[in-house]
Amino acid sequence: MNENIKTSVFMENYTIEVRDVDFNKDMKLSALFSCLQESSSLGSSALGIGLDTIQREHNVTWVLLKMNIKIKYMPKLNEKIKIETWPQEPKALQFERDYLIFDEKGEIIIRATSIWAIIDLSTRMIKRSRTIEIAYPDIRTERAHNQSFNILKASGELELAYKKVIGYSDTDINGHLNNAKYIDYIMDCFTVDNHKEYMVMDIEVNFIHELLPNESLILYRDISKLEENIIYIEGQRELDQLTAFKASVIIKHR
């Protein structure tokens, strides 16, 4: 860890650009995920546990297990935001990280929590947190929001949404499906008209199994709780019906 670092809290400014928005000129949820991932990476690097360091010294890499985001409203094209992120005390197998996103007026517009793990680059198995040495300069125990992670499961019948084959453009530095791409796939379970009428206010995603290029992902949705504005979405690997992710999305009228 850099001895000059006095705090584990990391802050970064972003400007919402054309590539980040949809036809409503709202920031796309996948772009938000990308920004949160980038701030996580930068924050970890500032603490001396960045991706390059842990790969070189411990043969492990970071993987995102869960993310829970609560949205007051999404920033629009050309708006400036600030992301503030900080880690919690590591647990035996997990690393928790929180995020607050502020608008140009300094008001909190998005709150998020996440759970990460480290996996061995050779075996792809989760390693214990103590594998990497961490000495945070401080621990900010405040949480971005108070909701704990849920056990996500369908409450009704799963219906087929569509199938997607993982390609080159879907992969990340670890060679598997990028987390932000999962979010694009989830959003594609809704029609364009759906996106014109509704907006996402809350999303929780459990990333369960990695997907590799050329593998096929079957996406299903459960709308049995639509009257409560809750949609459940699940992705399964076509080869063996292995569950790759589960997600719960809460929407509201624009």
Side-chain angles (χ1 to χ4, degrees):
M1 184 184 72
N2 187 338
E3 294 181 357
N4 295 320
I5 298 295
K6 303 300 183 183
T7 178
S8 59
V9 178
F10 181 83
M11 290 178 285
E12 185 75 2
N13 296 315
Y14 295 88
T15 299
I16 312 305
E17 301 184 2
V18 171
R19 65 172 179 266
D20 303 317
V21 301
D22 62 12
F23 52 79
N24 293 307
K25 295 186 178 179
D26 291 333
M27 187 181 194
K28 291 186 291 187
L29 199 55
S30 58
L32 173 61
F33 262 74
S34 293
C35 285
L36 293 176
Q37 287 186 122
E38 181 179 355
S39 66
S40 301
S41 178
L42 294 172
S44 296
S45 293
L47 293 169
I49 51 173
L51 187 64
D52 290 343
T53 300
I54 67 171
Q55 287 185 346
R56 181 180 65 253
E57 297 183 0
H58 305 287
N59 195 45
V60 296
T61 190
W62 291 108
V63 292
L64 179 60
L65 301 181
K66 299 181 180 183
M67 182 76 81
N68 187 314
I69 302 178
K70 300 188 178 304
I71 303 166
K72 184 177 180 180
Y73 70 86
M74 290 293 273
K76 288 187 171 290
L77 178 64
N78 297 324
E79 285 192 29
K80 292 178 172 58
I81 60 172
K82 180 178 75 174
I83 298 181
E84 183 175 289
T85 180
W86 64 98
Q88 299 293 324
E89 187 74 42
K91 297 182 179 179
L93 296 171
Q94 299 177 346
F95 302 82
E96 297 185 22
R97 177 170 282 274
D98 291 58
Y99 315 81
L100 295 175
I101 299 184
F102 300 83
D103 65 10
E104 294 180 63
K105 298 178 181 178
E107 296 181 359
I108 299 172
I109 59 173
I110 298 170
R111 300 173 181 269
T113 55
S114 63
I115 297 178
W116 298 74
I118 51 173
I119 61 170
D120 187 285
L121 285 170
S122 301
T123 65
R124 312 304 284 185
M125 299 296 291
I126 290 180
K127 302 278 286 185
R128 288 192 171 275
S129 302
R130 64 170 181 263
T131 301
I132 58 177
E133 297 180 3
I134 302 177
Y136 294 143
D138 60 2
I139 294 294
R140 180 176 172 181
T141 58
E142 173 193 353
R143 304 309 306 260
H145 61 72
N146 295 323
Q147 181 180 319
S148 59
F149 285 91
N150 298 303
I151 298 175
L152 302 183
K153 60 182 181 179
S155 56
E157 183 177 351
L158 289 175
E159 61 179 36
L160 176 66
Y162 68 98
K163 180 171 76 171
K164 171 70 179 180
V165 177
I166 311 305
Y168 160 81
S169 63
D170 300 311
T171 58
D172 61 13
I173 193 171
N174 291 321
H176 59 204
L177 180 60
N178 183 277
N179 293 317
K181 285 292 185 177
Y182 282 91
I183 308 309
D184 276 332
Y185 296 172
I186 291 170
M187 293 297 98
D188 282 344
C189 289
F190 304 94
T191 67
V192 170
D193 287 340
N194 291 154
H195 285 286
K196 289 178 179 179
E197 185 176 357
Y198 298 94
M199 61 184 297
V200 174
M201 298 305 297
D202 187 304
I203 181 169
E204 182 173 344
V205 186
N206 290 359
F207 302 96
I208 301 170
H209 195 282
E210 66 179 352
L211 289 168
L212 303 174
N214 300 320
E215 292 185 332
S216 294
L217 177 68
I218 309 295
L219 290 103
Y220 300 91
R221 63 183 181 181
D222 168 18
I223 58 172
S224 61
K225 290 189 175 181
L226 187 56
E227 290 186 356
E228 302 174 46
N229 294 325
I230 300 173
I231 299 96
Y232 171 83
I233 296 172
E234 181 175 313
Q236 298 178 8
R237 189 167 66 184
E238 184 178 32
L239 177 65
D240 51 10
Q241 290 77 55
L242 183 70
T243 299
F245 77 87
K246 297 180 178 181
S248 176
V249 180
I250 299 177
I251 59 175
K252 78 168 188 177
H253 283 279
R254 293 185 178 276

